[in-house]
Amino acid sequence: METDCLFCKIVAGDVPAEVVHSTARTVAFRDLNPQAPTHVLVVPRVHQPDAASLAAADPASFAELATSAAAVAAADGHPLDYRLVFNTGSGAGQTVFHTHLHVLAGRPFTWPPG
Ligand code: 5GP
Ligand code: ZN
């Protein structure tokens, strides 16, 4: 755990969040500022700053983000249509530097994204 990391604190239960799913390696909670009817963040229990770092350090946790995301979308009634996003780097919109997979569902999505 990184002492200054918001998502480490949510994983530890030290900062409240609406947790909707958890596994041995992941925790999923609703985004504070949702961009779709379903907007959940799936995070690994281990601290890594971004998706590639996590994949290199702990492939099992990286894989479990995707399977957890599918379970979260299905539980919200969207088993077939959902969007998964890893923002990586501040230029791409990353604001919290603990790997997190955005799960968005429940409205139409356009491409390319904004
Ligand atoms: P990023 O911009 O790094 O890809 O995503 C960070 C996300 O974390 C944002 O969508 C933001 O709304 C969400 N967020 C920031 N602080 C909190 C918080 O304290 N609790 C929850 N549940 N979400 C947060
Ligand atoms: Zn962290």
Side-chain angles (χ1 to χ4, degrees):
M1 171 163 170
E2 292 267 313
T3 48
D4 269 353
C5 173
L6 173 63
F7 289 174
C8 279
K9 289 177 184 166
I10 288 178
V11 168
D14 295 340
V15 166
E18 187 183 345
V19 174
V20 294
H21 189 264
S22 66
T23 69
R25 298 184 179 87
T26 70
V27 177
F29 51 90
R30 295 202 188 277
D31 197 291
L32 208 56
N33 182 25
Q35 302 301 311
T38 290
H39 187 174
V40 170
L41 304 173
V42 190
V43 309
R45 292 182 183 274
V46 296
H47 179 91
Q48 286 292 331
D50 57 47
S53 304
L54 178 68
D58 188 346
S61 288
F62 185 71
E64 213 155 291
L65 293 183
T67 52
S68 295
V72 163
D76 268 16
H78 309 290
L80 300 177
D81 299 282
Y82 55 90
R83 180 169 288 185
L84 302 182
V85 175
F86 287 112
N87 294 323
T88 302
S90 54
Q94 186 175 8
T95 58
V96 179
F97 290 83
H98 177 129
T99 313
H100 50 283
L101 180 54
H102 293 259
V103 185
L104 298 144
R107 65 167 172 82
F109 294 100
T110 58
W111 194 263

mmCIF file of all heavy atoms in Angstrom, residues 6-7 10 15-18 29-35 39 41 85-89 92-98 100 102, ligand 1:
data_model
loop_
_atom_site.group_PDB
_atom_site.id
_atom_site.type_symbol
_atom_site.label_atom_id
_atom_site.label_comp_id
_atom_site.label_asym_id
_atom_site.label_seq_id
_atom_site.Cartn_x
_atom_site.Cartn_y
_atom_site.Cartn_z
ATOM 1 N N LEU A 6 -5.073 7.413 -2.999
ATOM 2 C CA LEU A 6 -6.519 7.372 -2.729
ATOM 3 C C LEU A 6 -7.090 5.969 -2.936
ATOM 4 O O LEU A 6 -7.872 5.473 -2.099
ATOM 5 C CB LEU A 6 -7.224 8.373 -3.663
ATOM 6 C CG LEU A 6 -8.743 8.353 -3.652
ATOM 7 C CD1 LEU A 6 -9.284 8.725 -2.275
ATOM 8 C CD2 LEU A 6 -9.293 9.286 -4.734
ATOM 9 N N PHE A 7 -6.713 5.297 -4.026
ATOM 10 C CA PHE A 7 -7.336 4.000 -4.297
ATOM 11 C C PHE A 7 -6.773 2.911 -3.386
ATOM 12 O O PHE A 7 -7.488 1.956 -3.057
ATOM 13 C CB PHE A 7 -7.219 3.641 -5.783
ATOM 14 C CG PHE A 7 -8.111 4.483 -6.679
ATOM 15 C CD1 PHE A 7 -8.034 4.369 -8.059
ATOM 16 C CD2 PHE A 7 -9.023 5.388 -6.154
ATOM 17 C CE1 PHE A 7 -8.857 5.134 -8.889
ATOM 18 C CE2 PHE A 7 -9.845 6.169 -6.972
ATOM 19 C CZ PHE A 7 -9.759 6.043 -8.351
ATOM 20 N N ILE A 10 -9.040 3.256 -0.506
ATOM 21 C CA ILE A 10 -10.358 2.640 -0.745
ATOM 22 C C ILE A 10 -10.242 1.124 -0.629
ATOM 23 O O ILE A 10 -11.087 0.471 0.006
ATOM 24 C CB ILE A 10 -10.918 3.096 -2.111
ATOM 25 C CG1 ILE A 10 -11.350 4.567 -2.035
ATOM 26 C CG2 ILE A 10 -12.082 2.209 -2.546
ATOM 27 C CD1 ILE A 10 -11.870 5.165 -3.335
ATOM 28 N N VAL A 15 -11.018 4.840 3.119
ATOM 29 C CA VAL A 15 -11.837 5.883 2.480
ATOM 30 C C VAL A 15 -13.086 5.174 1.976
ATOM 31 O O VAL A 15 -13.001 4.126 1.337
ATOM 32 C CB VAL A 15 -11.071 6.551 1.306
ATOM 33 C CG1 VAL A 15 -12.011 7.376 0.431
ATOM 34 C CG2 VAL A 15 -9.936 7.419 1.838
ATOM 35 N N PRO A 16 -14.287 5.725 2.282
ATOM 36 C CA PRO A 16 -15.516 5.032 1.884
ATOM 37 C C PRO A 16 -15.741 5.057 0.376
ATOM 38 O O PRO A 16 -15.366 6.016 -0.308
ATOM 39 C CB PRO A 16 -16.625 5.806 2.618
ATOM 40 C CG PRO A 16 -16.025 7.099 3.019
ATOM 41 C CD PRO A 16 -14.536 6.948 3.058
ATOM 42 N N ALA A 17 -16.355 4.009 -0.129
ATOM 43 C CA ALA A 17 -16.738 3.929 -1.538
ATOM 44 C C ALA A 17 -17.866 2.907 -1.633
ATOM 45 O O ALA A 17 -18.019 2.051 -0.753
ATOM 46 C CB ALA A 17 -15.554 3.493 -2.403
ATOM 47 N N GLU A 18 -18.659 3.031 -2.710
ATOM 48 C CA GLU A 18 -19.736 2.061 -2.929
ATOM 49 C C GLU A 18 -19.161 0.861 -3.669
ATOM 50 O O GLU A 18 -19.127 0.823 -4.898
ATOM 51 C CB GLU A 18 -20.898 2.707 -3.708
ATOM 52 C CG GLU A 18 -22.096 1.778 -3.792
ATOM 53 C CD GLU A 18 -23.248 2.355 -4.611
ATOM 54 O OE1 GLU A 18 -23.246 3.582 -4.887
ATOM 55 O OE2 GLU A 18 -24.136 1.558 -4.977
ATOM 56 N N PHE A 29 -15.681 -0.341 -7.457
ATOM 57 C CA PHE A 29 -16.548 0.613 -6.761
ATOM 58 C C PHE A 29 -17.043 1.659 -7.744
ATOM 59 O O PHE A 29 -16.402 1.933 -8.768
ATOM 60 C CB PHE A 29 -15.807 1.272 -5.579
ATOM 61 C CG PHE A 29 -14.468 1.863 -5.933
ATOM 62 C CD1 PHE A 29 -14.340 3.177 -6.346
ATOM 63 C CD2 PHE A 29 -13.319 1.081 -5.869
ATOM 64 C CE1 PHE A 29 -13.107 3.711 -6.688
ATOM 65 C CE2 PHE A 29 -12.066 1.609 -6.222
ATOM 66 C CZ PHE A 29 -11.965 2.927 -6.619
ATOM 67 N N ARG A 30 -18.202 2.267 -7.418
ATOM 68 C CA ARG A 30 -18.794 3.244 -8.336
ATOM 69 C C ARG A 30 -17.974 4.535 -8.343
ATOM 70 O O ARG A 30 -17.513 4.998 -7.295
ATOM 71 C CB ARG A 30 -20.254 3.516 -7.960
ATOM 72 C CG ARG A 30 -21.119 2.298 -8.143
ATOM 73 C CD ARG A 30 -22.596 2.570 -8.314
ATOM 74 N NE ARG A 30 -23.330 1.315 -8.287
ATOM 75 C CZ ARG A 30 -23.495 0.506 -9.335
ATOM 76 N NH1 ARG A 30 -23.006 0.833 -10.515
ATOM 77 N NH2 ARG A 30 -24.156 -0.635 -9.213
ATOM 78 N N ASP A 31 -17.841 5.101 -9.562
ATOM 79 C CA ASP A 31 -17.118 6.360 -9.716
ATOM 80 C C ASP A 31 -17.918 7.481 -9.044
ATOM 81 O O ASP A 31 -19.142 7.550 -9.139
ATOM 82 C CB ASP A 31 -16.915 6.658 -11.210
ATOM 83 C CG ASP A 31 -15.845 7.712 -11.452
ATOM 84 O OD1 ASP A 31 -16.080 8.891 -11.104
ATOM 85 O OD2 ASP A 31 -14.779 7.364 -11.990
ATOM 86 N N LEU A 32 -17.193 8.383 -8.385
ATOM 87 C CA LEU A 32 -17.812 9.512 -7.689
ATOM 88 C C LEU A 32 -18.481 10.479 -8.660
ATOM 89 O O LEU A 32 -19.428 11.182 -8.283
ATOM 90 C CB LEU A 32 -16.704 10.250 -6.917
ATOM 91 C CG LEU A 32 -17.045 11.021 -5.661
ATOM 92 C CD1 LEU A 32 -17.747 10.157 -4.635
ATOM 93 C CD2 LEU A 32 -15.765 11.618 -5.071
ATOM 94 N N ASN A 33 -18.011 10.525 -9.894
ATOM 95 C CA ASN A 33 -18.498 11.484 -10.898
ATOM 96 C C ASN A 33 -18.860 10.712 -12.175
ATOM 97 O O ASN A 33 -18.163 10.785 -13.185
ATOM 98 C CB ASN A 33 -17.396 12.523 -11.164
ATOM 99 C CG ASN A 33 -17.817 13.573 -12.154
ATOM 100 O OD1 ASN A 33 -19.011 13.848 -12.327
ATOM 101 N ND2 ASN A 33 -16.838 14.149 -12.841
ATOM 102 N N PRO A 34 -19.987 9.962 -12.117
ATOM 103 C CA PRO A 34 -20.264 8.999 -13.192
ATOM 104 C C PRO A 34 -20.515 9.653 -14.542
ATOM 105 O O PRO A 34 -21.202 10.661 -14.641
ATOM 106 C CB PRO A 34 -21.505 8.259 -12.682
ATOM 107 C CG PRO A 34 -22.104 9.128 -11.640
ATOM 108 C CD PRO A 34 -20.989 9.930 -11.045
ATOM 109 N N GLN A 35 -19.963 9.027 -15.571
ATOM 110 C CA GLN A 35 -20.095 9.505 -16.949
ATOM 111 C C GLN A 35 -21.073 8.650 -17.754
ATOM 112 O O GLN A 35 -21.239 8.860 -18.962
ATOM 113 C CB GLN A 35 -18.722 9.502 -17.637
ATOM 114 C CG GLN A 35 -17.690 10.349 -16.920
ATOM 115 C CD GLN A 35 -18.111 11.814 -16.797
ATOM 116 O OE1 GLN A 35 -18.525 12.416 -17.783
ATOM 117 N NE2 GLN A 35 -18.043 12.371 -15.598
ATOM 118 N N HIS A 39 -20.964 3.399 -14.127
ATOM 119 C CA HIS A 39 -19.568 3.840 -14.213
ATOM 120 C C HIS A 39 -18.877 3.344 -12.955
ATOM 121 O O HIS A 39 -19.035 3.905 -11.858
ATOM 122 C CB HIS A 39 -19.471 5.362 -14.327
ATOM 123 C CG HIS A 39 -18.065 5.848 -14.597
ATOM 124 N ND1 HIS A 39 -17.767 7.161 -14.853
ATOM 125 C CD2 HIS A 39 -16.874 5.182 -14.648
ATOM 126 C CE1 HIS A 39 -16.463 7.298 -15.051
ATOM 127 N NE2 HIS A 39 -15.893 6.112 -14.924
ATOM 128 N N LEU A 41 -15.181 1.682 -11.290
ATOM 129 C CA LEU A 41 -13.728 1.569 -11.399
ATOM 130 C C LEU A 41 -13.311 0.231 -10.798
ATOM 131 O O LEU A 41 -13.693 -0.068 -9.654
ATOM 132 C CB LEU A 41 -13.046 2.710 -10.640
ATOM 133 C CG LEU A 41 -13.459 4.117 -11.057
ATOM 134 C CD1 LEU A 41 -12.852 5.162 -10.114
ATOM 135 C CD2 LEU A 41 -13.066 4.409 -12.493
ATOM 136 N N VAL A 85 -12.014 1.317 -20.234
ATOM 137 C CA VAL A 85 -11.024 2.367 -20.522
ATOM 138 C C VAL A 85 -9.941 2.371 -19.443
ATOM 139 O O VAL A 85 -10.262 2.385 -18.244
ATOM 140 C CB VAL A 85 -11.697 3.759 -20.556
ATOM 141 C CG1 VAL A 85 -10.654 4.860 -20.739
ATOM 142 C CG2 VAL A 85 -12.757 3.834 -21.661
ATOM 143 N N PHE A 86 -8.678 2.371 -19.881
ATOM 144 C CA PHE A 86 -7.541 2.698 -19.008
ATOM 145 C C PHE A 86 -6.989 4.035 -19.487
ATOM 146 O O PHE A 86 -6.348 4.092 -20.552
ATOM 147 C CB PHE A 86 -6.399 1.694 -19.160
ATOM 148 C CG PHE A 86 -6.586 0.325 -18.582
ATOM 149 C CD1 PHE A 86 -6.699 -0.782 -19.415
ATOM 150 C CD2 PHE A 86 -6.591 0.124 -17.212
ATOM 151 C CE1 PHE A 86 -6.819 -2.066 -18.900
ATOM 152 C CE2 PHE A 86 -6.714 -1.151 -16.681
ATOM 153 C CZ PHE A 86 -6.838 -2.248 -17.527
ATOM 154 N N ASN A 87 -7.199 5.109 -18.783
ATOM 155 C CA ASN A 87 -6.470 6.336 -19.084
ATOM 156 C C ASN A 87 -5.051 6.169 -18.548
ATOM 157 O O ASN A 87 -4.869 5.788 -17.385
ATOM 158 C CB ASN A 87 -7.148 7.537 -18.428
ATOM 159 C CG ASN A 87 -8.516 7.818 -19.021
ATOM 160 O OD1 ASN A 87 -8.721 7.659 -20.227
ATOM 161 N ND2 ASN A 87 -9.462 8.230 -18.183
ATOM 162 N N THR A 88 -4.063 6.449 -19.377
ATOM 163 C CA THR A 88 -2.658 6.245 -18.970
ATOM 164 C C THR A 88 -1.865 7.512 -19.253
ATOM 165 O O THR A 88 -1.711 7.897 -20.419
ATOM 166 C CB THR A 88 -2.051 5.040 -19.710
ATOM 167 O OG1 THR A 88 -2.841 3.876 -19.434
ATOM 168 C CG2 THR A 88 -0.625 4.789 -19.250
ATOM 169 N N GLY A 89 -1.444 8.180 -18.169
ATOM 170 C CA GLY A 89 -0.711 9.439 -18.294
ATOM 171 C C GLY A 89 -1.660 10.629 -18.237
ATOM 172 O O GLY A 89 -2.797 10.557 -18.701
ATOM 173 N N ALA A 92 -3.532 11.812 -21.249
ATOM 174 C CA ALA A 92 -4.661 10.983 -21.677
ATOM 175 C C ALA A 92 -5.799 11.026 -20.669
ATOM 176 O O ALA A 92 -6.790 10.290 -20.824
ATOM 177 C CB ALA A 92 -4.205 9.550 -21.893
ATOM 178 N N GLY A 93 -5.656 11.864 -19.639
ATOM 179 C CA GLY A 93 -6.753 12.035 -18.688
ATOM 180 C C GLY A 93 -6.608 11.281 -17.382
ATOM 181 O O GLY A 93 -7.527 11.287 -16.563
ATOM 182 N N GLN A 94 -5.456 10.623 -17.155
ATOM 183 C CA GLN A 94 -5.296 9.915 -15.886
ATOM 184 C C GLN A 94 -5.064 10.916 -14.766
ATOM 185 O O GLN A 94 -4.177 11.788 -14.869
ATOM 186 C CB GLN A 94 -4.132 8.922 -15.953
ATOM 187 C CG GLN A 94 -4.029 8.060 -14.696
ATOM 188 C CD GLN A 94 -2.949 6.977 -14.786
ATOM 189 O OE1 GLN A 94 -2.161 6.936 -15.734
ATOM 190 N NE2 GLN A 94 -2.921 6.111 -13.784
ATOM 191 N N THR A 95 -5.864 10.810 -13.708
ATOM 192 C CA THR A 95 -5.736 11.714 -12.560
ATOM 193 C C THR A 95 -5.387 10.965 -11.274
ATOM 194 O O THR A 95 -4.908 11.585 -10.320
ATOM 195 C CB THR A 95 -7.042 12.506 -12.327
ATOM 196 O OG1 THR A 95 -8.120 11.590 -12.119
ATOM 197 C CG2 THR A 95 -7.352 13.399 -13.530
ATOM 198 N N VAL A 96 -5.650 9.671 -11.239
ATOM 199 C CA VAL A 96 -5.301 8.859 -10.061
ATOM 200 C C VAL A 96 -4.307 7.801 -10.533
ATOM 201 O O VAL A 96 -4.616 7.011 -11.434
ATOM 202 C CB VAL A 96 -6.546 8.200 -9.439
ATOM 203 C CG1 VAL A 96 -6.138 7.338 -8.242
ATOM 204 C CG2 VAL A 96 -7.577 9.246 -9.019
ATOM 205 N N PHE A 97 -3.126 7.795 -9.895
ATOM 206 C CA PHE A 97 -2.031 6.957 -10.400
ATOM 207 C C PHE A 97 -1.927 5.648 -9.626
ATOM 208 O O PHE A 97 -0.870 5.272 -9.133
ATOM 209 C CB PHE A 97 -0.736 7.781 -10.449
ATOM 210 C CG PHE A 97 -0.844 8.818 -11.560
ATOM 211 C CD1 PHE A 97 -1.493 10.025 -11.339
ATOM 212 C CD2 PHE A 97 -0.378 8.536 -12.836
ATOM 213 C CE1 PHE A 97 -1.653 10.955 -12.371
ATOM 214 C CE2 PHE A 97 -0.527 9.453 -13.875
ATOM 215 C CZ PHE A 97 -1.170 10.667 -13.639
ATOM 216 N N HIS A 98 -3.077 4.987 -9.514
ATOM 217 C CA HIS A 98 -3.213 3.592 -9.092
ATOM 218 C C HIS A 98 -4.075 2.977 -10.199
ATOM 219 O O HIS A 98 -5.194 3.461 -10.436
ATOM 220 C CB HIS A 98 -3.900 3.522 -7.718
ATOM 221 C CG HIS A 98 -4.172 2.142 -7.193
ATOM 222 N ND1 HIS A 98 -3.797 1.747 -5.921
ATOM 223 C CD2 HIS A 98 -4.820 1.082 -7.737
ATOM 224 C CE1 HIS A 98 -4.187 0.497 -5.721
ATOM 225 N NE2 HIS A 98 -4.822 0.067 -6.816
ATOM 226 N N HIS A 100 -6.548 1.687 -12.730
ATOM 227 C CA HIS A 100 -7.991 1.484 -12.619
ATOM 228 C C HIS A 100 -8.585 1.328 -13.997
ATOM 229 O O HIS A 100 -8.251 2.067 -14.920
ATOM 230 C CB HIS A 100 -8.680 2.617 -11.844
ATOM 231 C CG HIS A 100 -8.323 3.994 -12.323
ATOM 232 N ND1 HIS A 100 -7.123 4.588 -12.020
ATOM 233 C CD2 HIS A 100 -9.006 4.878 -13.093
ATOM 234 C CE1 HIS A 100 -7.081 5.796 -12.573
ATOM 235 N NE2 HIS A 100 -8.207 5.998 -13.241
ATOM 236 N N HIS A 102 -11.917 1.680 -16.063
ATOM 237 C CA HIS A 102 -13.268 2.244 -16.076
ATOM 238 C C HIS A 102 -14.206 1.260 -16.788
ATOM 239 O O HIS A 102 -13.909 0.823 -17.905
ATOM 240 C CB HIS A 102 -13.306 3.561 -16.868
ATOM 241 C CG HIS A 102 -12.541 4.700 -16.264
ATOM 242 N ND1 HIS A 102 -13.160 5.710 -15.553
ATOM 243 C CD2 HIS A 102 -11.233 5.016 -16.282
ATOM 244 C CE1 HIS A 102 -12.251 6.605 -15.178
ATOM 245 N NE2 HIS A 102 -11.074 6.207 -15.604
HETATM 246 P P1 5GP B 1 -8.822 8.848 -14.254
HETATM 247 O O1 5GP B 1 -9.150 10.287 -14.593
HETATM 248 O O2 5GP B 1 -7.541 8.755 -13.446
HETATM 249 O O3 5GP B 1 -8.846 7.900 -15.429
HETATM 250 O O4 5GP B 1 -10.002 8.340 -13.332
HETATM 251 C C1 5GP B 1 -10.106 8.650 -11.983
HETATM 252 C C2 5GP B 1 -11.559 8.519 -11.613
HETATM 253 O O5 5GP B 1 -11.651 8.464 -10.212
HETATM 254 C C3 5GP B 1 -12.422 9.695 -12.085
HETATM 255 O O6 5GP B 1 -13.434 9.212 -12.961
HETATM 256 C C4 5GP B 1 -12.986 10.257 -10.789
HETATM 257 O O7 5GP B 1 -14.330 10.669 -10.918
HETATM 258 C C5 5GP B 1 -12.835 9.103 -9.826
HETATM 259 N N1 5GP B 1 -12.644 9.493 -8.439
HETATM 260 C C6 5GP B 1 -11.799 10.464 -7.974
HETATM 261 N N2 5GP B 1 -11.847 10.512 -6.629
HETATM 262 C C7 5GP B 1 -12.729 9.542 -6.232
HETATM 263 C C8 5GP B 1 -13.187 9.102 -4.956
HETATM 264 O O8 5GP B 1 -12.781 9.590 -3.903
HETATM 265 N N3 5GP B 1 -14.103 8.086 -4.943
HETATM 266 C C9 5GP B 1 -14.562 7.508 -6.107
HETATM 267 N N4 5GP B 1 -15.477 6.529 -5.963
HETATM 268 N N5 5GP B 1 -14.146 7.903 -7.319
HETATM 269 C C10 5GP B 1 -13.237 8.894 -7.389
#
